[in-house]
Amino acid sequence: MKEKSLLRRYRWLLFAVVLFGGQLAGTAYLYKDKKAAMVGLVIFLFGCVAAVVMAQIDESND
């Protein structure tokens, strides 16, 4: 039986992190709160980097 890939296993968690980070960054930027916008951007980028790393790990196991 084939194992599920990391990206499929954690897709909803990654989706929530990316969505939350983007929403926080956009809303904070709209209300001119630069510190909160930067935190949201970092959260968003962390989620994106985690997805790319998981995809690379899945591809390297083949």
Side-chain angles (χ1 to χ4, degrees):
M1 188 168 120
K2 186 176 179 184
E3 285 186 38
K4 280 187 172 179
S5 68
L6 287 173
L7 203 53
R8 281 190 72 89
R9 194 177 309 156
Y10 295 111
R11 67 181 164 210
W12 291 111
L13 178 63
L14 286 172
F15 177 73
V17 168
V18 168
L19 185 68
F20 170 74
Q23 182 69 38
L24 176 64
T27 304
Y29 183 75
L30 182 66
Y31 289 105
K32 297 179 180 25
D33 185 1
K34 292 187 180 192
K35 286 185 181 180
M38 186 59 68
V39 169
L41 181 64
V42 168
I43 292 170
F44 173 79
L45 291 175
F46 174 75
C48 292
V49 167
V52 168
V53 167
M54 286 183 188
Q56 289 292 338
I57 290 171
D58 291 338
E59 290 295 321
S60 68
N61 286 338
D62 290 339

